[in-house]
Amino acid sequence: MDVKEFYKNIAATPIQYLTTINNIHLWIKRDDLNDELIQGNKLRKLKYSLLKAQQENKIIISFGGAYSNHIAALAAAGKRFGIATIGVIRGEELNDETKHSHTLQEAKVNGMQLFFVSRQEYRLKEQGDAVRKLVGNNDKILIVPEGGSNQLALLGASEIVDEIVNEQLHNILATKGAKGGQYFDRLFCACGTGGTLAGILKGIAKHTLPTKVYGVPVLKGGGFLYDDIKRLNPSAKKCNWELIIDAHCGGYAKKSSELLQFMQEFEEKFTVLLDPIYTGKLCKSVFKLASDGNANQEENWLIYHSGGLQGR
Ligand SMILES: *Cc1c(COP(=O)(O)O)cnc(C)c1O
């Protein structure tokens, strides 16, 4: 299938109204609905790397852990668009196939070539000996970083904001009457590498929106993302954004019982599914912020549902 044609035909995902807490109208941008296999922010982030690989007939090599949504999405994309993919996976013990996660099994079924490296080697990424040997001086290889976060990914993620502005913002916010339906006051997204947030900031700047952007790192000690995000997007310095660094619920892939209970109630009430690694923590922290707040003016807040349901 042709990448360009495919992306041209994707419909804008809906923005769904959730509820109002303390004068704050909460909405969710449903990118979990954009594709079942190359889902959410991964569909956005991979767009231009896939285009490049298909046009230049390249093999994509990328990096991830055994449960990586990025690896799952890249493998599915490789199959759909006829692009060869190689996944460099953290953990030598995974040479034993009986230890493979569902994510790795699916990636293999989708034709991704898997390559397992030690944690030490993994940290070095393409500078490590194992990967250097694998790549050699093959100019047919396109290296895409962990989580897909390269400059092309930022461009893809910035289109989330284009879509909100171009197709939906005016009609939707008018129904709540706040601020004349001009813009969302705040936008929230989950952060792994921070590439999605960096790209959203690009979009916010492009459209000169006054929206403040919040990132919710899902790892413990996610403050390092301030630097990573500014490195990915140097203009971020001039944008209005911050990280909520205490919303990780115990650390990466940790699931507190409060988190699971929040997710269950959320899913029943709004019929929107969440994943425990990213969007569950995201929504929980936004609801807490709204409940703690005492906005005396109406505000509209938008949660970006980045998908990730393959990890459920
Ligand atoms: C990968 C992923 C993220 C993290 O995106 P980054 O651009 O790495 O910050 C967030 N949510 C979901 C569902 C993901 O799969």
Side-chain angles (χ1 to χ4, degrees), residues 39 41-42 45 69-70 147 149 190-197 275 278-279 306-309:
Q39 198 177 68
N41 65 339
K42 300 306 185 284
K45 292 177 76 177
N69 290 336
H70 165 63
S149 292
C191 295
T193 63
T196 302
L197 176 56
D275 79 297
Y278 294 103
T279 55
S306 42
L309 299 180

Side-chain angles (χ1 to χ4, degrees), residues 195-250:
T196 302
L197 176 56
I200 285 175
L201 290 178
K202 242 177 131 85
I204 295 279
K206 174 178 163 189
H207 294 280
T208 57
L209 297 178
T211 305
K212 178 163 182 183
V213 181
Y214 292 78
V216 176
V218 300
L219 303 103
K220 207 183 257 180
F224 67 88
L225 283 173
Y226 277 111
D227 285 341
D228 286 6
I229 288 165
K230 282 183 239 165
R231 203 171 310 125
L232 283 164
N233 175 3
S235 313
K237 282 202 258 328
K238 289 178 268 169
C239 301
N240 186 13
W241 63 286
E242 73 176 65
L243 299 174
I244 302 173
I245 47 182
D246 59 356
H248 52 72
C249 304

